[in-house]
């Protein structure tokens, strides 16, 4: 496990792992849902207080977003790589 994020004040948490796993579990550790699409080390996760949105990001720099109630993938945000010259011109 690389990160744990509790959802609201309920009994669920989002757990991430170094093998790309992002899972929703109950407080006793029972798996409720798995969120697919990540294939690399996941560093962090976040969830809306009501659990409707789950997000995770990791080694590849991509932030992935899922519907927390259906497991459906919503979208991803790829990192924006810029050179030092591009940053200096801002």
């Amino acid at each position: 496990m690389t990160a744990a994020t509790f959802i609201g004040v309920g009994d669920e948490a989002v757990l991430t792992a170094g093998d790309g796993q992002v899972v929703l579990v109950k407080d006793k550790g029972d798996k409720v849902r798995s969120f697919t699409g990540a294939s690399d080390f996941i560093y962090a996760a976040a969830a809306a207080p009501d659990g409707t949105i789950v997000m995770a990001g990791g080694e590849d720099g991509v932030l992935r977003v899922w519907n927390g109630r259906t497991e459906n993938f919503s979208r991803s945000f790829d990192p924006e790589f810029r050179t030092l010259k591009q940053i200096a011109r801002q």
Side-chain angles (χ1 to χ4, degrees):
M1 181 175 65
T2 57
T5 301
F6 291 94
I7 297 177
V9 293
D11 63 347
E12 296 179 329
V14 177
L15 306 179
T16 65
D19 61 359
Q21 288 188 61
V22 180
V23 296
L24 178 70
V25 298
K26 291 285 190 183
D27 61 352
K28 304 280 189 217
D30 298 327
K31 187 187 296 186
V32 178
R33 287 181 194 82
S34 294
F35 303 98
T36 60
S39 60
D40 213 339
F41 196 97
I42 301 296
Y43 290 118
D50 63 359
T52 56
I53 298 171
V54 171
M55 299 174 282
E59 186 76 27
D60 61 3
V62 177
L63 176 66
R64 291 176 176 83
V65 182
W66 296 271
N67 179 311
R69 296 295 176 221
T70 65
E71 300 178 28
N72 290 336
F73 177 77
S74 295
R75 69 174 298 179
S76 62
F77 297 90
D78 293 324
E80 181 180 321
F81 293 102
R82 297 179 291 171
T83 67
L84 289 177
K85 285 183 181 180
Q86 290 171 323
I87 293 170
R89 282 188 242 147
Q90 291 183 339

